Amino acid sequence: MSKQKKFGRYIVILIAACFVIGLLFCGSNKPEHIENFSVRIIHTNDIHARVTENKDSGIIGIEKLGSIIKKDTEQYDLNLVLDSGDLFHGQPIATLVYGESIAQLIKACHYDAMTAGNHDWSYGKQDLVSLAQQSDLKILTGNVIINETGEHFFEDEFLVKTITKDNITLKIGIFGVIDPLVYNGTTPENVAGLTFTDSVSYSREAVNHLKEQGCQVIIGLTHTNNPAELAQQVNGVNLWLAGHEHTSLFKEVETPNGDISYVIENNCYLKEIGMMNLTCKVDNHSRIDDIQLTFSPLHYDDIEEIEKDEQVSKVLTRINNEVDVILKDQVGISPIELNGIWEDLRIGETNLGVAVAESYLLASGADIAFENAGGIRASVNQGIVTFGEILGVSPYGNYLVEKQLTGAEIKETLEISLEIQRLCIDANKTGVYDAWPQTSGSVLQCAGLTAEYDLTRPVGDRITSLKIGTAEFEESKVYTVVTNNFNAWNHTYPALSNAPETGQYCACEEALIQFFKQSEETIKDLSSARHLINLYE
């Protein structure tokens, strides 16, 4: 080859190389394109079927919630309506029709997803699946596993939402977990054949999966005893939306890798609606930056002037008309008013607490009956008692469980209850809700025994006299105890929770109905009796 041809070849190669380098140089300096995204998140938890507006109780109601959802979400790139459990059960409007009324209302409000709470299982696991389908939402509770197959119980493990603006995409991934510790918070047959696996382990797996799917923002829904503790153990979750504790919570939590995760819970009973605005920047390489979260919860005073959503109101009116027919059925007569006030049940004995416990004895024939204060949800007026009032008192669909305890174990159980009661008395004096102990609902109402106590004495030594029936208790003697299935496994009372079941009886509301079928004189005598006597009251 001549020198001239060889030189020409080198020129061609040099030009090609310069062209490639030029392309690389231009590409590396290509102007970066960034899009701003805004996401509106509306959150509720622990509604417990409180769907009717009630100004005195501060309950916003589902009709105004529907209006807020419709009108507040119009200006955002994406809207998410999410719930953290205990949605379908709790009030007669729900329990009389096995939650289907709530499913219809939730569908009218256009919820996207929820995680299951312990009370959502009250109608049975297959009914919960059906309620999700009727609601047109996804139940994201991925740590519920079918024992026989090892598969996830719920069909939908994740919800992924995608927003694209000018060829730039933001992906948001949502998953849900339920606390394994609330497994015993429902009737055993409702979750038979299922396992609630570890929340932390599953959450980590869920985050990894969603990251692999390209999600830049991850939201965790949880129904748990301590959402902040859960959040502290899991990387990669931007926002936790919690339920179960019936509290208002907005907390920044540091995760193991040093990032910040937000934890939010919005009270209960639709007394608060969580309103969040999540903004972020995404570039043309799908990199996310500048994630900001603003949180502005709504309370009754904020929405009092808001009009009700017409479509939701029509659904609620139809449901109420159907339910009213059933609720008005008379089941008996109460000769006196029976006190089911929340605070009173926790600071001492009330006549309704005694009546409920007596109904358990009537249904079971046991020696002693215990009812936890949290199991009683309403008072009973003097006069005609309707089916609706019965369900208002005992809305959870629980049933009676029989166990065997020694006299010493019964005394130990009562001593624990008295200490919680003392804490509740102190909290009640402060007038501050947050001062109440988390175990306040465990204070016991009793029948079948008489205990005299002195709260000025040391913890564990407050009972000065204890009789079972009319006889002095014997430490070594074994007595039959009946309580509701939730309280039967209440770990606040080790002797009670550790004792095996020796029998099962009717539903709690059925026992209470039978109680009111007795004569008025018997009802008055039984409910007026004192079983827990404070010597220095």
Side-chain angles (χ1 to χ4, degrees):
M1 183 182 296
S2 67
K3 289 183 180 181
Q4 186 176 3
K5 289 183 179 180
K6 191 178 292 186
F7 179 76
R9 182 180 179 187
Y10 290 152
I11 290 293
V12 171
I13 294 172
L14 181 59
I15 292 172
C18 289
F19 179 73
V20 171
I21 292 171
L23 285 176
L24 291 173
F25 181 79
C26 292
S28 64
N29 285 276
K30 183 180 180 180
E32 189 172 59
H33 180 41
I34 295 175
E35 279 291 342
N36 295 305
F37 290 89
S38 63
V39 180
R40 190 56 156 172
I41 304 168
I42 298 179
H43 173 249
T44 57
N45 59 273
D46 299 284
I47 292 177
H48 287 286
R50 264 74 168 187
V51 292
T52 302
E53 180 182 354
N54 187 318
K55 181 178 180 180
D56 293 337
S57 299
I59 296 174
I60 294 169
I62 197 131
E63 296 163 284
K64 289 189 174 178
L65 171 63
S67 182
I68 292 165
I69 291 171
K70 182 176 293 184
K71 295 179 180 179
D72 188 76
T73 55
E74 294 174 350
Q75 58 182 311
Y76 299 93
D77 298 319
L78 175 68
N79 308 305
L80 292 169
V81 186
L82 306 170
D83 184 85
S84 292
D86 283 357
L87 174 62
F88 294 112
H89 192 273
Q91 292 290 285
I93 191 174
T95 56
L96 285 173
V97 291
Y98 301 96
E100 291 186 4
S101 55
I102 307 302
Q104 294 167 24
L105 290 165
I106 290 301
K107 182 176 182 179
C109 288
H110 304 290
Y111 270 71
D112 293 291
M114 67 175 290
T115 194
N118 50 304
H119 290 291
D120 291 314
W121 303 87
S122 293
Y123 311 112
K125 54 181 181 288
Q126 295 306 327
D127 284 324
L128 179 54
V129 172
S130 175
L131 288 172
Q133 294 169 345
Q134 294 175 55
S135 304
D136 199 21
L137 57 61
K138 298 180 185 298
I139 294 185
L140 310 176
T141 315
N143 66 323
V144 178
I145 302 299
I146 302 171
N147 294 341
E148 187 175 347
T149 64
E151 297 175 348
H152 296 282
F153 175 70
F154 293 104
E155 179 180 358
D156 299 299
E157 192 176 354
F158 306 104
L159 173 64
V160 176
K161 290 285 189 176
T162 301
I163 323 162
T164 300
K165 295 169 65 176
D166 197 15
N167 295 321
I168 293 182
T169 297
L170 172 66
K171 263 191 177 183
I172 298 178
I174 307 168
F175 72 96
V177 291
I178 188 170
D179 192 334
L181 293 178
V182 304
Y183 183 88
N184 291 322
T186 187
T187 303
E189 66 182 22
N190 293 337
V191 289
L194 302 178
T195 295
F196 293 9
T197 64
D198 181 68
S199 300
V200 174
S201 297
Y202 173 77
S203 297
R204 291 170 177 168
E205 293 173 6
V207 170
N208 290 337
H209 173 84
L210 291 171
K211 291 285 188 184
E212 290 172 358
Q213 301 305 306
C215 294
Q216 302 113 311
V217 172
I218 295 178
I219 299 172
L221 303 176
T222 182
H223 197 83
T224 186
N225 286 302
N226 193 331
E229 183 179 6
L230 171 62
Q232 288 171 340
Q233 301 178 71
V234 182
N235 291 320
V237 179
N238 302 96
L239 173 64
W240 288 95
L241 299 176
H244 187 58
E245 293 194 305
H246 290 205
T247 189
S248 297
L249 177 68
F250 176 64
K251 189 173 185 178
E252 292 185 10
V253 171
E254 185 175 343
T255 62
N257 63 4
D259 289 339
I260 295 297
S261 182
Y262 295 96
V263 184
I264 291 174
E265 186 167 347
N266 293 111
N267 204 306
C268 61
Y269 303 159
L270 271 182
K271 294 180 179 180
E272 182 175 296
I273 300 173
M275 309 294 288
M276 285 147 276
N277 188 22
L278 187 149
T279 61
C280 61
K281 300 179 185 297
V282 181
D283 68 16
N284 50 326
H285 301 290
S286 297
R287 294 175 300 206
I288 191 168
D289 190 24
D290 195 24
I291 300 176
Q292 302 288 332
L293 181 76
T294 56
F295 176 55
S296 304
L298 292 180
H299 302 90
Y300 189 87
D301 291 344
D302 302 316
I303 58 85
E304 190 168 4
E305 302 304 320
I306 292 178
E307 293 183 1
K308 298 176 179 179
D309 181 82
E310 185 176 350
Q311 181 185 0
V312 177
S313 291
K314 286 181 180 179
V315 175
L316 183 59
T317 299
R318 175 177 53 78
I319 290 169
N320 281 329
N321 290 338
E322 294 169 354
V323 168
D324 279 348
V325 177
I326 305 171
L327 292 178
K328 292 175 182 176
D329 289 345
Q330 178 178 336
V331 300
I333 295 177
S334 178
I336 57 175
E337 183 175 351
L338 298 173
N339 180 5
I341 295 173
W342 192 94
E343 293 85 356
D344 292 348
L345 287 162
R346 287 156 170 77
I347 64 175
E349 186 176 57
T350 79
N351 54 5
L352 180 56
V354 171
V356 171
E358 288 286 357
S359 77
Y360 292 0
L361 291 185
L362 179 66
S364 66
D367 299 315
I368 300 163
F370 291 144
E371 172 69 353
N372 59 304
I376 299 174
R377 311 307 290 187
S379 298
V380 174
N381 295 321
Q382 182 180 5
I384 292 175
V385 179
T386 65
F387 192 36
E389 284 183 285
I390 295 294
L391 288 179
V393 172
S394 182
Y396 294 125
N398 289 333
Y399 63 92
L400 303 185
V401 169
E402 178 188 272
K403 293 192 171 190
Q404 307 289 324
L405 271 68
T406 66
E409 290 172 329
I410 290 166
K411 185 176 181 182
E412 170 196 316
T413 300
L414 290 172
E415 288 279 2
I416 294 170
S417 176
L418 288 175
E419 172 59 10
I420 301 171
Q421 179 183 322
R422 183 194 67 78
L423 294 172
C424 289
I425 291 171
D426 292 344
N428 191 48
K429 291 176 181 177
T430 69
V432 178
Y433 178 78
D434 289 343
W436 289 81
Q438 290 188 352
T439 53
S440 70
S442 295
V443 173
L444 296 176
Q445 303 283 319
C446 308
L449 59 80
T450 305
E452 295 181 346
Y453 63 91
D454 177 1
L455 290 179
T456 67
R457 293 168 66 93
V459 175
D461 191 33
R462 289 172 170 154
I463 294 175
T464 60
S465 171
L466 177 59
K467 292 183 178 181
I468 310 299
T470 58
E472 294 292 334
F473 96 104
E474 300 176 35
E475 285 201 353
S476 59
K477 185 175 179 178
V478 175
Y479 299 93
T480 303
V481 177
V482 65
T483 187
N484 67 67
N485 62 288
F486 177 85
N487 196 48
W489 303 105
N490 186 347
H491 295 292
T492 302
Y493 301 112
L496 185 62
S497 63
N498 292 332
E501 286 187 10
T502 55
Q504 295 183 3
Y505 298 93
C506 64
C508 296
E509 62 267 24
E510 291 174 331
L512 198 53
I513 288 171
Q514 292 303 314
F515 178 82
F516 285 108
K517 291 187 181 298
Q518 301 177 106
S519 69
E520 292 183 47
E521 182 179 358
T522 300
I523 292 170
K524 184 175 181 180
D525 289 344
L526 288 174
S527 55
S528 299
R530 297 190 68 191
H531 299 278
L532 298 171
I533 302 169
N534 187 346
L535 296 177
Y536 293 91
E537 191 171 24

